Amino acid sequence: MRMMLKFSLPVEKGNQTIKDGSLAKTLESIMNKLKPESAYFAPLDGKRSGMMVFDLAEPSQIVEVVEPLFLNLNADVEIIPVMNGDDLRKGLGKAAPK
């Protein structure tokens, strides 16, 4: 299932992880594992943040995805099921009244 991982870092922890190199290492590790179809990074609500869209093969992967963000970066994390345009058209086709 296509999912969007959204995360943000507390400013002080973000500063620390940039200085010690753990931010780059953690994000690189996550991206290598997830192989996201897209990834974006930006300041959101005054915090370093990112969004990645990836395929979740099974629910147990959630632990692998979020724990490095919690443990290494003290991040706030959300995982949200998402659709692309083709998925939406297919779903709307099935939902249309007959």
Side-chain angles (χ1 to χ4, degrees), residues 23-94:
L23 177 61
K25 288 177 188 174
T26 300
L27 292 179
E28 190 67 32
S29 173
I30 290 168
M31 290 186 64
N32 285 336
K33 189 175 291 185
L34 294 180
K35 304 206 181 335
E37 68 181 60
S38 62
Y40 301 95
F41 306 92
L44 296 173
D45 298 321
K47 298 177 184 177
R48 292 175 183 94
S49 303
M51 292 161 279
M52 296 180 196
V53 176
F54 68 101
D55 182 51
L56 184 71
E58 60 179 77
S60 65
Q61 274 185 284
I62 293 171
V63 176
E64 295 175 59
V65 172
V66 301
E67 286 305 323
L69 292 164
F70 290 143
L71 293 170
N72 300 341
L73 306 177
N74 199 29
D76 291 325
V77 178
E78 292 181 67
I79 295 184
I80 306 154
V82 294
M83 298 178 282
N84 64 19
D86 291 337
D87 297 330
L88 179 61
R89 281 188 285 283
K90 183 177 177 181
L92 289 173
K94 291 179 180 181

